[in-house]
Amino acid sequence: LVTAPSSGNVYLLEADADGDGAADGVRVLMSGLNRPHGLDLHGGWLYVAEGDAIARVRFDAQARTVAEKGERIVRG
């Protein structure tokens, strides 16, 4: 997982299975965020630090997906 503050996205990078030094795939996991710049995984949640809040969303590590709707748990 990696943030891109300027685009407001969190990306999921697929493992480098072929050993060429590059991710085997990249996809947008979350979008429309306010300058996301920090990530943490804990207890099945993906926490995202934004410019004005901390959000969390359910994260399925095996499927590499997030729930459709998350929540902001800290604002300001």
Side-chain angles (χ1 to χ4, degrees):
L1 301 173
V2 64
T3 62
S6 62
S7 70
N9 294 334
V10 173
Y11 294 96
L12 181 108
L13 306 177
E14 298 290 342
D16 178 19
D18 60 9
D20 68 354
D24 287 350
V26 177
R27 66 181 165 93
V28 175
L29 191 64
M30 298 173 71
S31 63
L33 301 171
N34 180 6
R35 297 183 324 273
H37 57 274
L39 300 170
D40 191 27
L41 292 168
H42 181 72
W45 292 95
L46 171 61
Y47 291 83
V48 182
E50 296 182 73
D52 62 349
I54 298 174
R56 73 178 186 170
V57 63
R58 282 284 179 194
F59 179 68
D60 183 335
Q62 188 170 8
R64 296 185 299 268
T65 59
V66 293
E68 283 188 33
K69 185 167 177 134
E71 62 183 327
R72 288 203 162 140
I73 57 173
V74 176
R75 294 180 186 272

